[in-house]
Amino acid sequence: MTTAGLVAGAQDLGLDGDTVAELAAAWRGDECAGAHGRLAGAVRARLDRVQHEIAEHQRRATAAGPGTAAWAEANHATVALAENAARLQAV
């Protein structure tokens, strides 16, 4: 994998710019094992954040009550987050 491929993949997973820069530096510096370890940790942290966001939306939906506009909006917001979580879990 090239550095560009690593950066593109990390960005696609929603990792922040600082994390992507650290991963790229480690990869370019021939610290492949270190880069893989950092990537795994960053993916776990991102997945934790996404799962927390999903839980927050679900709490809002529950509080709003089924069938309300706020319920629909909160549930709609979880769709993209669930897709994100699935991509992160597949890594």
Side-chain angles (χ1 to χ4, degrees):
M1 174 185 293
T2 65
T3 303
L6 175 74
V7 167
Q11 289 172 330
D12 286 346
L13 292 173
L15 302 183
D16 65 74
D18 290 339
T19 300
V20 172
E22 284 179 24
L23 290 169
W27 191 260
R28 281 192 300 266
D30 289 330
E31 298 175 36
C32 297
H36 282 280
R38 288 183 185 129
L39 178 60
V43 166
R44 280 191 303 273
R46 175 73 179 131
L47 180 58
D48 287 346
R49 286 191 307 276
V50 167
Q51 289 173 330
H52 177 75
E53 289 179 49
I54 290 170
E56 286 298 314
H57 284 291
Q58 290 302 305
R59 279 193 270 289
R60 279 189 285 245
T62 300
T68 64
W71 175 86
E73 184 180 316
N75 279 301
H76 179 73
T78 64
V79 173
L81 290 169
E83 291 170 351
N84 237 345
R87 277 198 320 270
L88 291 161
Q89 289 169 339
V91 173

